[in-house]
Amino acid sequence: MIPLLAKDSKVRRKYLPESRQWLKMLRRSVLVLCMVATAKFQNDPAGQQILLFKEKTKGHIGVMTTSAGAPIEYKDARVTLNSNLISNEYFMDSVTHIVRERIPERVVHAKAGGAFGYFEVTHDVTHICKAKLFATVGKRTPVAARFSPVVVERGGIDTSRDVRGFAVKFYTEEGNLDIVGFNTPMYVYKDPILFPSILRARKRNPATNLFNDNPLWDFLTLHPESLHMFLLIFGDRGIPDGYRHMPGFGIHTYEVINEHGEKSFVRFHFTPTAGIKNLRSEEARKIAAVDPDYATRDLYSAIGNGNFPSWKVSIQVLSLNDVKNAGFDVFDVTKVLPLDDYPLTPVGMFVLNKNPINYFAEIEQLAFSPGNLVPGILGGPDKLFEARRLVYRDAQYYRLGANFNKIPVNCPIQVKVMAYNRDGNPPVEDNGGDTPNYYPNSFNGAEAYVDKKRTELIEIFEDDPNNFQQATELYVNEMTKDERSRVVENILYSLGGVAQFLQDRAVKLFTIIHPDLGYRISEGLAANRSNYYYDDDDKLYNYNK
């Protein structure tokens, strides 16, 4: 280090020229970094948002007011020293508000990117489903979409190895339809009673407040049906390259009806037209170090630059006979419906072409529920779907209040709401005006409609989960040789530090999925002290590099 603060004059004279040269180099480096940053943000709507606002407004947008609308005098807004604080309404209004600006964070899916756009019908499916959003080819319906890692907290990174939420809200003329899906075609468990357990197993340790892989592998090995999805997560699909290249799946098999009341069963697929792209582990870690908001920034900037992301919307369709003769539980969310047996039927396209104007108002308060269904779409008959109808609604009540559907982003914008709900925490809008507030009534209140071809959701019997065969097919037939090596590497990265009895249980289960998978993980764990395992070509591989 150059002793710039040296007290000895000889030392100062000796090092002064060198220190000046060092400072010049530092200034040049800073200037270069500033130039690079400027060039980077010139085509970055996310980075330039506040500058674009300044250019757009061309002057102050108005007189500053309190939240009650009173204009604020300049001195009250700038200085409080030697003045009465209680009588300064700007001070009182802003200081008391800021400690109330946070609402409860989502327990899962806390961090997210989102945007708005439209869904357009490209193929006629009215013979399958009578929902009006599918009525005619070319019809457009406004949509909102929210994409989110599951476990990551609000301040976390976008490039974690994790499942992603893929939720789409369709603002139809029959009310809002929410498809609350994921970026994997299957889900982690079948029995909804496991929801608190998997969540707590993946969250922070209650004693240390640190993340720990022991609870995760305890859960996975106690509930082996979860390994089907986690094979995908530990594989190349575990870290999407931004949200624009991420597929979505409804995961449930929905019951739908046409105008004649005839039943069909469908699974929703959303395929990015830009192609599916993912990040390797090392690349994701490097991105996280410099841009933890990578996926959110990429989505915002793409839309801001007019590069509107889009997804093809398709369905797999089953008849009632298909359901009965499938040979497996088609309503089991831990399983996929084989595309060879149930090919994709194209339906339409959804496009995101509008960024949120205010993130909190439009994305943080954006509330989804699988129970938001429309005539023609009855939902899934499985217990997980039934449980999600309760859990999601309860979460919105807790976070946003009983009137969360009156928050503008959640309002069914193509419908005049005629509900009998009243009062509660704001927003209440006109609170139902002067209409009757109970049902039934004899005073011309809103009346329920009659569906002469009403169809009830079918009842099913759900057996114990068992998806080892599909997990085997995923490993053998859907993963390339290189991806199989990477999935072993990523599993070892997580499993290598947990208790040995959990490792032993995991090896047994992976061996059931495929002997090769079990063997390679076993070898990797055994060689953990030297950080090596064998790959497909029986070559030693250092999984820490």
Side-chain angles (χ1 to χ4, degrees), residues 45 114-116 299-305 353-358 362:
F116 302 87
L299 179 67
Y300 190 101
S301 295
I303 295 173
N305 286 322
N353 60 4
K354 180 180 179 294
N355 278 317
I357 296 174
N358 182 278
E362 298 177 279

Side-chain angles (χ1 to χ4, degrees), residues 55 144 155 248 306 308 402 415 484:
E55 293 177 1
F308 303 138
V415 179
R484 286 195 293 271

Side-chain angles (χ1 to χ4, degrees), residues 145-171:
R146 189 176 188 272
F147 312 115
S148 53
V150 173
V151 178
V152 172
E153 297 152 346
R154 280 197 65 186
I157 62 173
D158 280 353
T159 54
S160 62
R161 184 168 294 281
D162 192 6
V163 188
R164 263 64 175 179
F166 193 109
V168 185
K169 184 183 293 289
F170 300 81
Y171 299 97

Side-chain angles (χ1 to χ4, degrees), residues 6-306:
K7 294 182 179 180
D8 187 277
S9 60
K10 292 182 179 180
V11 173
R12 286 202 306 269
R13 285 195 298 272
K14 176 182 178 181
Y15 286 102
L16 189 57
E18 184 178 349
S19 65
R20 286 174 176 168
Q21 184 179 3
W22 180 80
L23 286 171
K24 288 180 180 179
M25 292 174 59
L26 179 62
R27 291 192 189 102
R28 283 198 294 268
S29 298
V30 171
L31 180 61
V32 170
L33 287 173
C34 290
M35 293 173 63
V36 170
T38 301
K40 176 183 177 182
F41 286 116
Q42 281 180 347
N43 296 314
D44 179 13
Q48 288 188 305
Q49 183 276 325
I50 199 165
L51 297 175
L52 294 172
F53 177 83
K54 182 178 181 179
E55 293 177 1
K56 178 177 64 176
T57 50
K58 305 297 183 183
H60 295 297
I61 59 175
V63 175
M64 184 176 172
T65 72
T66 66
S67 59
I72 297 170
E73 201 277 327
Y74 182 85
K75 186 176 179 181
D76 286 342
R78 291 296 185 101
V79 181
T80 63
L81 300 179
N82 305 312
S83 64
N84 189 319
L85 294 180
I86 302 300
S87 63
N88 184 332
E89 192 58 23
Y90 168 73
F91 171 81
M92 296 292 288
D93 194 36
S94 58
V95 169
T96 57
H97 186 277
I98 196 167
V99 296
R100 294 168 171 83
E101 286 183 354
R102 297 295 176 264
I103 62 175
E105 180 178 299
R106 285 172 167 89
V107 178
V108 287
H109 303 283
K111 186 180 185 185
F116 302 87
Y118 62 88
F119 165 74
E120 182 174 344
V121 179
T122 58
H123 294 75
D124 183 8
V125 292
T126 54
H127 60 290
I128 297 170
C129 181
K130 70 175 184 179
K132 289 184 179 179
L133 81 156
F134 304 132
T136 57
V137 173
K139 181 174 183 175
R140 289 188 175 184
T141 298
V143 301
R146 189 176 188 272
F147 312 115
S148 53
V150 173
V151 178
V152 172
E153 297 152 346
R154 280 197 65 186
I157 62 173
D158 280 353
T159 54
S160 62
R161 184 168 294 281
D162 192 6
V163 188
R164 263 64 175 179
F166 193 109
V168 185
K169 184 183 293 289
F170 300 81
Y171 299 97
T172 87
E173 66 264 49
E174 297 178 296
N176 291 346
L177 168 67
D178 292 354
I179 304 296
V180 191
F182 293 85
N183 73 321
T184 57
M186 76 292 282
Y187 193 55
V188 64
Y189 54 79
K190 184 175 184 178
D191 193 329
I193 201 171
L194 295 176
F195 172 70
S197 296
I198 181 60
L199 176 59
R200 290 168 180 156
R202 299 202 66 195
K203 288 290 189 177
R204 294 179 182 272
N205 181 289
T208 66
N209 198 39
L210 300 172
F211 290 106
N212 187 286
D213 283 335
N214 280 290
L216 171 61
W217 284 100
D218 191 28
F219 181 92
L220 296 181
T221 54
L222 288 173
H223 307 283
E225 69 271 20
S226 60
L227 293 175
H228 187 202
M229 187 183 79
F230 270 82
L231 266 185
L232 212 59
I233 298 308
F234 284 119
D236 289 352
R237 292 273 287 272
I239 311 177
D241 186 2
Y243 297 129
R244 296 184 296 125
H245 298 288
M246 186 176 79
F249 304 89
I251 71 170
H252 297 279
T253 301
Y254 286 72
E255 181 178 340
V256 300
I257 56 171
N258 61 19
E259 61 180 353
H260 304 295
E262 298 167 337
K263 298 176 183 288
S264 295
F265 302 88
V266 304
R267 280 202 184 186
F268 290 94
H269 292 243
F270 305 91
T271 307
T273 56
I276 297 173
K277 295 182 181 179
N278 304 287
L279 299 172
R280 300 285 188 262
S281 298
E282 185 60 28
E283 184 181 12
R285 284 192 284 268
K286 290 179 180 178
I287 291 173
V290 295
D291 189 3
D293 303 313
Y294 172 79
T296 305
R297 187 186 315 281
D298 176 73
L299 179 67
Y300 190 101
S301 295
I303 295 173
N305 286 322

Side-chain angles (χ1 to χ4, degrees), residues 471-488:
T472 301
E473 291 174 357
L474 172 62
Y475 180 73
V476 174
N477 298 324
E478 296 187 38
M479 290 185 174
T480 64
K481 175 182 175 181
D482 289 340
E483 186 176 2
R484 286 195 293 271
S485 293
R486 287 190 292 270
V487 80
V488 171

Side-chain angles (χ1 to χ4, degrees), residues 187 189-196 252 369-371 380-395 457 462:
Y187 193 55
Y189 54 79
K190 184 175 184 178
D191 193 329
I193 201 171
L194 295 176
F195 172 70
H252 297 279
S369 172
D382 56 285
K383 282 298 175 185
L384 181 66
F385 190 90
E386 183 180 347
R388 293 180 81 197
R389 294 186 73 157
L390 166 66
V391 170
Y392 279 69
R393 177 180 292 275
D394 184 59
L457 194 65
E462 298 185 79

